[in-house]
Amino acid sequence: MDIRIGHGYDLHRLEPIAPVGTGRPLRLGGVAIESDRGPVAHSDGDALLHAITDAILGSLGMPDIGQAFPDSDPRNESRDSADFFLSAVRLAREAGYAVVNIDSTVVLERPKIGPVKGAIRASLAALAGADLSRVNVKGKTHESIGPIGRGEAVEVHAVVLLGRVT
Ligand code: MG
């Protein structure tokens, strides 16, 4: 059995959304989420897509998302992070692998992602070209402790399993 496991992590600082602050509209897994705070980022700041992209790239032993899509490159300014994700899925496919499953945890004090979890899973499954049953998203708070608990950041952990298909 030829399988590859990858781990990804991302964190973005959250600020009031522009023009009040420097935050971008909050997006997780390609889904827009109603919030008065959003990520400070060069791209669209989708921390969930970033973490899973890094997990896929990591499983392949390839350069990470920051190396592949540097924030010094103006082409990545305000970029839809689905581009990064789809690029990683394409690299996996070219290497002969498909997504077996994805699991992830979003640590966000507010808003709670429960109401949009289904939409996020569906979005990720569509982007990954995987069945919905193979994609999971869990939401947690940081129990009001530390910067994440104060709503100053969103943090995401992800693991991905790839299996050889060719
Ligand atoms: Mg990021």
Side-chain angles (χ1 to χ4, degrees):
M1 186 166 40
D2 187 350
I3 55 175
R4 312 287 297 244
I5 190 165
H7 165 261
Y9 169 83
D10 197 28
L11 179 147
H12 279 267
R13 193 155 53 83
L14 296 174
E15 293 281 345
I17 290 170
V20 179
T22 55
R24 293 178 179 274
L26 181 62
R27 291 180 70 82
L28 289 169
V31 174
I33 297 173
E34 193 74 40
S35 172
D36 58 352
R37 297 173 76 83
V40 176
H42 187 253
S43 68
D44 69 0
D46 191 321
L48 180 54
L49 287 181
H50 294 178
I52 299 173
T53 298
D54 249 353
I56 296 170
L57 294 172
S59 72
L60 297 166
M62 289 182 172
D64 66 33
I65 189 170
Q67 293 170 286
F69 304 101
D71 61 10
S72 54
D73 186 339
R75 281 176 304 176
N76 298 327
E77 166 90 44
S78 301
R79 189 140 169 208
D80 183 345
S81 296
D83 289 353
F84 309 148
F85 187 100
L86 290 169
S87 157
V89 170
R90 188 166 52 244
L91 286 168
R93 200 168 292 138
E94 284 167 6
Y97 292 93
V99 170
V100 175
N101 77 303
I102 297 170
D103 191 22
S104 60
T105 302
V106 175
V107 191
L108 179 64
E109 205 65 17
R110 59 189 170 273
K112 295 265 170 51
I113 66 160
V116 287
K117 222 191 261 183
I120 295 174
R121 282 183 71 192
S123 169
L124 291 173
L127 288 169
D131 190 84
L132 197 59
S133 65
R134 295 178 179 272
V135 179
N136 194 44
V137 180
K138 306 184 298 299
K140 296 192 78 71
T141 71
H142 210 260
E143 295 284 334
S144 304
I145 293 168
I148 297 169
R150 289 192 297 270
E152 295 169 9
V154 56
E155 182 180 61
V156 180
H157 304 261
V159 285
V160 169
L161 190 71
L162 302 183
R164 182 165 280 283
V165 286
T166 55

